[in-house]
Amino acid sequence: MKYTKLPKTSHAELEKKLIKKWKADKTFEKSVAFRSSDNGYVFYDGPPFITGQPHHGTLLSSVVKDVVPRFWTMKGKRVERRWGWDCHGLPAEVFTEKKLGIHDKRDIGNKISLEDYIITCRENMIQTGSEWEDTIDRIGRWVEFKNAYKTMDKDFMESVWWAFKTLYDKGSIYEGEKVLMYCTRDATPLAKAEIAMDNSYQDVTDPSVYVRFKLSRTANTKLGLKSASLLAWTTTPWTLPSNSALAIDRNINYVAVELDGEILVLAEDLLDKALTDEKHQVLVYKKLKTITGKQLEGMSYEPLFEPVEVLKHENAFKIWHADFIHTDEGTGIAHESPAYGEEDYELSKQNDIPWVMSTDENGFFTMGDWLGHNIWEVNKQIAKELKERGIVWKIEYITHSYPHCHRCQTKLMYRAHPSWFMDIASQRHEMLETNKEINWWPKHIKNGRFKNTVDSAPDWNLSRDRFWATPLPVWRGKDDNGVTHTKVLGSYKELEKLSGVVLKDYHRPWIDDVTFTIDGVKYERIDKVMDSWFEAGSMPFAQYHYPFENKQQFEQNFPGDFIVEYVAQVRAWFYYMHAVSIGLFGKPAFKNVVVTGTIAGNDGRKMSKSFGNYTDPVELVDTYSADAYRLLLVGSPLLNGEDYALIDKDVADVHRKLTTLMNTLDFFILYAEADNWQSKPEHLIAPDSTNILDRWVLSVYEDLRAHVEQHMLVYDLPNAVKTVGQFIDDLSNWYVRRSRKRFWKSINDNDKEMAYHTLYYILVNFSKVLAPFAPFMADYIYQQVSGDEQSVHLQDWPDAIAKDADLLEVMQRTRTYITDGLAARAESGIKVRQPLAKLTIYDNQELAADVLEIVAEEMNVKQVSFEVSKQYNILLDTDLTNDLIAEGAIREFVRLVQQSRKQIGLDISDHIKLEFKADTLAKAAIKDHEAYIQTETLADAVEEVVGLEGDSEKIYKSDAWGVVFRVSKI
């Protein structure tokens, strides 16, 4: 290949040109098609929400989703990469309701028909625009957008039906009632994993109340007390109207105390914590007697309000033992409202305690003194009113982190709710055992966060009382005897066979109208929809419309080889995929998983437009480069699962490193053009050079290649790229700088050929190693140097070459000597251009002659001597003779001439005429070193001109001597 000088262009412009070229050449499609379908590598792409905006967090995972598939493609794998869109669930409904001005679930069906609402949801999910595709292209990620799957697609939903039906038939799905975290605005329960997502917890201030519960007359008599009250504690006074029990621990000692003329009973260990005034000073009380928890158990107390009919039950308003009672805070006595507490509900089930639901699905009271009011709007008011009535003994206020709906930001409540559940408990052991087969990076996630998630996971609440999602495929009917029959369907064909109905759209409300009759029983669909996380967990097979289509394709490509998302998905998508896969197939959904940390703004806080603490991603990559952005992220603590503040300067630093690499490319092209050096096929084979610098840089390259491959194979990305920057420094600032003269004035033609061959080989193969991480620059370098019209991303990962480990160690020692020697020069105040007579190295292992020559040239000394000594030291002879001073001045003179060549725009191969005027001392020095000056500056003539001052280009002055000179092209 013949080389020509490269045009000057910014990295951003270069990247944008390559994006267009890749699209025009269909390079991505070729990179997939070139690999055999029998050698697949399966990557699952967790879909972003379709109306969301690309941001640094999603782009972080997108970068990793590009780096890993590019690497495995170069390793010979066929890596198909299909984009997906998350379209269902609360995010879509909240988005639609904001556009429609809807603030309440009850508006759907009143202000807008359900049909129009669903149509609007679908329209909103289609209007994605091109922002995602443009941004993903800009960061260099290759993915198939055209055939993207959507969770709202009919085929995807049918596969979800199949999964639900299969699990139901296995006995893994059941209907039940449990206390769940519940959003009153959206009127639906949420999964626990959703509560662990970003934006779920917010600091709120709630009343902390101490409530008097009067013991019954019988209880007082048994305890030998008069009109005593149990002092219970709660932070949810709005639940007091539905109280039906109190809980104590039979193993705790309680005390009856007299305080301000009344008798209160509470845990002995909490007396001085609970019995305080507004300034938290302990009140004066008198201990009357100690009462064991065992004595209190089974006693009755008076209800706070007139009980409704359901609470007129023999087990209502009694005191029960509970293991969850403690003496860390409160009073050791807990108010129980089973409809609104997980532990309360379980206690009621165990002991047949009656309970009442006092609110509707939107959090409004349906009974009692606060009828029609929202629980959170009157929570503090209830506390104050009950204190005025004498029911509440004391009110305090606490600020604590409380869960909110991560979609609409509404404060959540606990609420007993009928739902459909997936039985996690029965498969928990299998989920833990199969987790051992998965490779997690970072490794501590495996037996840390993920294992803990599986260990503590409750049965999965699968159903939602909403609209825009995959409808639950459950139909019910009652026979003449009032017996309820249930039919769960797993396909549209099955529904058609029973009902004769085929729908274009299987969403609500159209699916709600489909009924069928079996043995005289009319079946109607229950009006629940599925948790969108069940859809996400079904993604590995639902994207293929399995098992209805592509059965062999899915089964050949399952489990997936690789997934990646940020740390919150450990409890979410990763967990749900694992749960569904174990339930359906008995094996994990994925083999390797990378968990990233969370990106913070440049001030360490969460990224926020209101904080102004980050630069828009596209603006950032346009300012520097996508390659720099990618390399920074992949090499950051984020890929070790840690959080990281993204600072523009850090991107700029990586960009400067890449600019150094680009300068090395420019150097190679510049000299190859000047020398008319042309690459040949044999140059793709590592050179067998005797030059120590060639042998060293080839060994450094091989060390890097092996290091990157080793760590990529185990998904340790930050360590994989850890030495890339150092290699660029080694290549540019050591190898090229030390070899520069070999490219343009070597008297040994074979040595010059070896220099070109080595640098050519390194640039071609390093571009392959760099390709997964910095795809733009890698492709540009590869095509400019190799002349191959095919992209570097269509090449194989480079093979190993011979490495001289001993030489690496020797060169490292050599550079240490030079670094220490230069430090000694600096300390003495002598510039490097000033030659010195001698450098003595004291060390326990001598260097070869060619290595000592490098030390001498770098240190600019006439002689390097080596002496064995147990104690390492560097000794620099700083005595300057007149000859040394003159030689130093000549070197400075040559530097100024070279600078003048650049200023007047000469190419490196242009020869010059050098004219000068100098005093006697300087003239003699120039004449003595004329050959050196000519060789260094390509001066065909070095002539003295008497009257040069008038039109001089450069003036050189020194304390010892002065020169005026002019450079002109010949």
Side-chain angles (χ1 to χ4, degrees):
M1 173 186 174
K2 188 173 183 179
Y3 297 96
T4 57
K5 188 176 180 180
L6 299 175
K8 291 293 182 182
T9 183
S10 71
H11 286 198
E13 290 171 349
L14 182 149
E15 290 176 344
K16 290 175 182 178
K17 288 178 181 177
L18 275 172
I19 291 171
K20 292 179 180 177
K21 187 176 189 299
W22 288 341
K23 285 184 177 294
D25 294 347
K26 295 189 179 299
T27 312
F28 167 44
E29 291 80 357
K30 289 177 183 176
S31 74
V32 176
F34 276 11
R35 307 300 184 182
S36 170
S37 59
D38 296 332
N39 191 24
Y41 178 93
V42 181
F43 158 59
Y44 292 151
D45 190 359
F49 185 58
I50 199 166
T51 59
Q53 301 296 315
H55 53 81
H56 287 293
T58 51
L59 294 183
L60 164 64
S61 57
S62 265
V63 166
V64 182
K65 291 172 184 179
D66 190 66
V67 168
V68 172
R70 282 186 190 272
F71 170 77
W72 284 103
T73 296
M74 296 183 78
K75 292 291 288 180
K77 296 288 187 178
R78 183 187 181 97
V79 190
E80 296 180 1
R81 282 155 268 179
R82 186 185 182 194
W83 188 266
W85 291 114
D86 185 3
C87 307
H88 274 157
L90 280 178
E93 294 198 28
V94 171
F95 180 84
T96 298
E97 288 168 18
K98 283 182 179 178
K99 292 183 71 173
L100 293 173
I102 291 175
H103 305 287
D104 194 309
K105 178 184 176 183
R106 292 171 293 186
D107 292 339
I108 302 166
N110 295 316
K111 289 185 177 180
I112 184 174
S113 70
L114 178 56
E115 182 174 346
D116 287 342
Y117 177 78
I118 295 296
I119 290 172
T120 305
C121 284
R122 175 177 286 281
E123 289 173 348
N124 288 338
M125 297 306 103
I126 293 172
Q127 296 170 4
T128 60
S130 61
E131 185 176 3
W132 269 103
E133 189 165 355
D134 291 344
T135 304
I136 293 299
D137 282 346
R138 183 64 192 87
I139 65 167
R141 180 183 174 190
W142 280 352
V143 64
E144 183 185 355
F145 271 103
K146 187 176 181 181
N147 192 33
Y149 71 84
K150 295 184 177 72
T151 57
M152 69 180 184
D153 289 344
K154 185 165 66 173
D155 288 350
F156 193 101
M157 289 167 55
E158 187 174 26
S159 292
V160 175
W161 272 22
W162 168 82
F164 187 92
K165 161 76 168 174
T166 302
L167 291 169
Y168 178 81
D169 289 345
K170 286 184 174 184
S172 296
I173 288 180
Y174 65 92
E175 187 181 19
E177 186 170 53
K178 293 185 179 183
V179 173
L180 305 167
M181 293 299 281
Y182 188 90
C183 177
T184 56
R185 182 204 177 279
D186 301 320
T188 191
L190 302 177
K192 279 214 168 182
E194 292 178 277
I195 314 305
M197 298 296 286
D198 292 342
N199 307 320
S200 292
Y201 281 83
Q202 299 177 24
D203 286 343
V204 296
T205 300
D206 283 323
S208 165
V209 299
Y210 295 76
V211 187
R212 298 177 176 95
F213 286 87
K214 294 180 180 179
L215 282 167
S216 67
R217 181 181 299 177
T218 302
N220 272 301
T221 300
K222 286 183 178 180
L223 294 172
L225 298 171
K226 291 183 178 180
S227 302
S229 294
L230 298 174
L231 193 63
W233 176 71
T234 181
T235 58
T236 54
W238 67 265
T239 62
L240 289 170
S242 54
N243 169 270
S244 62
L246 293 176
I248 52 92
D249 187 318
R250 63 171 68 105
N251 301 308
I252 291 176
N253 283 331
Y254 294 84
V255 178
V257 301
E258 184 176 354
L259 176 63
D260 293 336
E262 68 175 319
I263 299 173
L264 300 174
V265 177
L266 66 160
E268 185 172 22
D269 289 346
L270 289 166
L271 285 172
D272 291 346
K273 284 187 178 181
L275 303 181
T276 59
D277 60 19
E278 293 179 355
K279 296 181 179 179
H280 304 290
Q281 299 295 316
V282 179
L283 297 169
V284 178
Y285 58 84
K286 177 183 178 182
K287 286 187 181 182
L288 299 179
K289 67 184 306 182
T290 298
I291 304 168
T292 65
K294 187 74 174 171
Q295 286 178 282
L296 290 175
E297 188 177 357
M299 288 186 171
S300 297
Y301 65 92
E302 296 179 10
L304 299 180
F305 305 90
E306 180 64 31
V308 295
E309 193 63 33
V310 71
L311 296 183
K312 295 175 181 178
H313 185 284
E314 62 179 356
N315 282 347
F317 309 117
K318 287 188 175 181
I319 303 168
W320 305 88
H321 165 75
D323 293 331
F324 54 79
I325 298 300
H326 57 79
T327 55
D328 295 336
E329 57 185 347
T331 64
I333 302 171
H335 134 71
E336 300 296 296
S337 179
Y340 302 112
E342 288 181 285
E343 294 170 325
D344 308 41
Y345 184 79
E346 290 303 314
L347 185 69
S348 73
K349 284 175 62 178
Q350 295 165 11
N351 297 286
D352 190 27
I353 302 171
W355 55 273
V356 63
M357 182 80 70
S358 62
T359 61
D360 67 11
E361 61 180 8
N362 294 103
F364 291 88
F365 280 105
T366 57
M367 53 181 277
D369 296 348
W370 297 278
L371 178 68
H373 290 279
N374 183 274
I375 58 170
W376 296 123
E377 291 175 356
V378 295
N379 194 36
K380 293 178 182 178
Q381 178 185 334
I382 290 172
K384 291 176 182 177
E385 290 187 16
L386 293 182
K387 189 171 190 305
E388 291 171 0
R389 298 185 197 180
I391 293 175
V392 166
W393 177 74
K394 180 177 71 170
I395 303 175
E396 294 177 338
Y397 289 92
I398 59 170
T399 299
H400 58 148
S401 185
Y402 192 86
H404 288 63
C405 178
H406 67 294
R407 298 302 185 187
C408 68
Q409 307 305 306
T410 300
K411 190 174 180 180
L412 300 176
M413 66 183 293
Y414 284 92
R415 189 176 194 271
H417 198 77
S419 294
W420 287 73
F421 297 88
M422 180 174 171
D423 181 4
I424 297 299
S426 64
Q427 66 178 50
R428 192 185 316 277
H429 176 74
E430 191 175 4
M431 289 173 70
L432 292 169
E433 286 298 304
T434 51
N435 179 42
K436 297 175 182 177
E437 304 169 19
I438 301 171
N439 172 47
W440 287 84
W441 189 267
K443 294 184 180 300
H444 65 81
I445 300 287
K446 180 174 192 167
N447 294 315
R449 188 183 292 256
F450 190 72
K451 180 179 181 295
N452 294 339
T453 296
V454 177
D455 268 332
S456 61
D459 284 354
W460 181 1
N461 167 28
L462 292 180
S463 60
R464 298 289 181 270
D465 300 303
R466 295 297 302 183
F467 312 104
W468 176 244
T470 300
L472 219 62
V474 179
W475 274 258
R476 279 212 167 124
K478 284 187 178 181
D479 61 22
D480 294 340
N481 296 320
V483 177
T484 298
H485 298 267
T486 301
K487 187 72 174 176
V488 177
L489 305 184
S491 71
Y492 301 147
K493 282 287 185 185
E494 191 176 359
L495 180 61
E496 180 186 2
K497 185 177 179 181
L498 289 169
S499 67
V501 175
V502 177
L503 296 175
K504 289 184 178 180
D505 190 336
Y506 285 83
H507 284 95
R508 300 187 68 188
W510 304 283
I511 191 68
D512 298 343
D513 297 333
V514 180
T515 63
F516 50 83
T517 302
I518 302 176
D519 298 331
V521 177
K522 182 180 179 181
Y523 288 77
E524 296 179 338
R525 199 191 72 83
I526 63 174
D527 62 357
K528 293 181 181 290
V529 297
M530 287 194 200
D531 176 12
S532 59
W533 286 111
F534 189 75
E535 297 175 338
S538 301
M539 169 265 170
F541 55 87
Q543 65 171 325
Y544 294 108
H545 193 209
Y546 177 88
F548 309 102
E549 293 182 82
N550 307 307
K551 194 170 187 293
Q552 183 178 2
Q553 182 183 5
F554 165 69
E555 291 173 354
Q556 284 180 344
N557 293 306
F558 184 81
D561 290 288
F562 167 65
I563 57 173
V564 57
E565 297 294 342
Y566 84 123
V567 66
Q569 296 294 356
V570 171
R571 295 176 178 271
W573 188 48
F574 297 161
Y575 166 76
Y576 288 127
M577 267 202 296
H578 192 59
V580 171
S581 181
I582 296 304
L584 289 173
F585 308 111
K587 57 184 177 181
F590 43 87
K591 300 174 186 175
N592 302 281
V593 54
V594 171
V595 181
T596 76
T598 304
I599 300 184
N602 53 39
D603 57 0
R605 294 185 293 176
K606 176 184 174 182
M607 285 187 171
S608 169
K609 287 184 178 180
S610 61
F611 295 155
N613 60 353
Y614 71 96
T615 302
D616 177 80
V618 174
E619 180 185 341
L620 189 60
V621 299
D622 281 349
T623 300
Y624 302 106
S625 66
D627 284 332
Y629 179 75
R630 290 167 63 110
L631 277 169
L632 176 71
L633 292 181
V634 171
S636 74
L638 289 162
L639 270 295
N640 281 322
E642 302 171 27
D643 294 347
Y644 175 74
L646 180 61
I647 301 172
D648 292 6
K649 179 185 175 297
D650 293 338
V651 183
D653 289 343
V654 179
H655 177 67
R656 277 191 291 274
K657 189 75 70 178
L658 292 176
T659 300
T660 299
L661 178 60
M662 190 66 82
N663 291 339
T664 302
L665 171 66
D666 288 339
F667 170 87
F668 173 81
I669 299 292
L670 186 66
Y671 281 89
E673 180 189 33
D675 267 342
N676 197 29
W677 186 86
Q678 297 185 29
S679 61
K680 300 173 184 176
E682 54 264 33
H683 290 130
L684 292 171
I685 301 171
D688 185 18
S689 176
T690 59
N691 186 286
I692 189 172
L693 286 167
D694 295 342
R695 289 163 44 217
W696 171 79
V697 79
L698 288 165
S699 294
V700 173
Y701 155 75
E702 172 54 27
D703 204 39
L704 170 77
R705 187 208 63 79
H707 176 91
V708 171
E709 181 175 8
Q710 171 193 348
H711 288 91
M712 286 298 292
L713 289 174
V714 295
Y715 299 84
D716 180 1
L717 274 66
N719 271 318
V721 300
K722 186 177 182 179
T723 55
V724 167
Q726 182 59 53
F727 178 78
I728 293 173
D729 278 341
D730 288 340
L731 178 63
S732 175
N733 298 324
W734 187 247
Y735 176 76
V736 171
R737 186 173 61 79
R738 288 293 318 144
S739 301
R740 183 178 294 270
K741 292 180 181 179
R742 299 170 60 205
F743 285 88
W744 65 278
K745 72 167 191 176
S746 174
I747 58 173
N748 183 336
D749 288 341
N750 182 63
D751 184 55
K752 186 174 190 175
E753 169 62 22
M754 283 298 104
Y756 272 116
H757 187 172
T758 300
L759 187 52
Y760 171 88
Y761 181 87
I762 291 292
L763 287 173
V764 168
N765 286 280
F766 178 52
S767 69
K768 295 178 183 178
V769 174
L770 191 62
F773 313 103
F776 297 104
M777 182 168 288
D779 207 11
Y780 184 72
I781 291 174
Y782 177 79
Q783 295 195 39
Q784 294 301 324
V785 176
S786 72
D788 190 347
E789 293 182 0
Q790 297 282 12
S791 168
V792 71
H793 303 294
L794 302 180
Q795 311 306 313
D796 290 338
W797 185 257
D799 293 328
I801 61 172
K803 182 178 79 170
D804 189 336
D806 290 339
L807 179 56
L808 292 175
E809 191 276 329
V810 166
M811 193 63 80
Q812 183 58 50
R813 281 201 299 130
T814 302
R815 296 177 76 175
T816 300
Y817 298 150
I818 292 167
T819 299
D820 293 345
L822 291 175
R825 262 187 174 276
E827 188 175 342
S828 68
I830 301 174
K831 294 181 179 179
V832 179
R833 285 194 184 85
Q834 173 59 62
L836 295 176
K838 187 178 180 181
L839 172 71
T840 304
I841 301 173
Y842 297 88
D843 206 354
N844 57 12
Q845 188 175 354
E846 192 168 358
L847 296 176
D850 53 356
V851 181
L852 287 176
E853 183 181 341
I854 292 174
V855 176
E857 289 184 4
E858 283 289 308
M859 286 299 302
N860 195 9
V861 296
K862 297 296 182 182
Q863 179 188 355
V864 177
S865 64
F866 205 99
E867 297 186 17
V868 176
S869 154
K870 291 183 179 179
Q871 186 172 359
Y872 167 70
N873 195 18
I874 294 283
L875 185 61
L876 193 63
D877 183 353
T878 57
D879 290 338
L880 295 176
T881 65
N882 289 336
D883 287 344
L884 289 173
I885 292 171
E887 188 177 341
I890 287 297
R891 292 201 176 203
E892 182 67 11
F893 174 57
V894 167
R895 184 186 71 81
L896 291 170
V897 173
Q898 300 286 40
Q899 192 176 72
S900 295
R901 287 178 57 97
K902 290 182 180 179
Q903 287 178 347
I904 64 176
L906 297 183
D907 289 335
I908 59 166
S909 59
D910 288 338
H911 285 241
I912 64 169
K913 178 181 179 182
L914 176 57
E915 300 169 295
F916 73 93
K917 178 188 174 184
D919 58 25
T920 303
L921 183 63
K923 180 166 57 175
I926 290 173
K927 288 301 180 184
D928 289 343
H929 297 87
E930 185 172 353
Y932 170 76
I933 294 169
Q934 286 183 289
T935 301
E936 293 292 321
T937 65
L938 292 185
D940 289 355
V942 180
E943 299 177 357
E944 182 182 10
V945 177
V946 176
L948 194 61
E949 292 94 341
D951 56 354
S952 62
E953 295 289 339
K954 275 289 178 183
I955 298 177
Y956 175 82
K957 292 182 179 179
S958 170
D959 292 338
W961 58 296
V963 176
V964 177
F965 68 89
R966 178 169 62 207
V967 171
S968 55
K969 180 179 178 181
I970 292 180

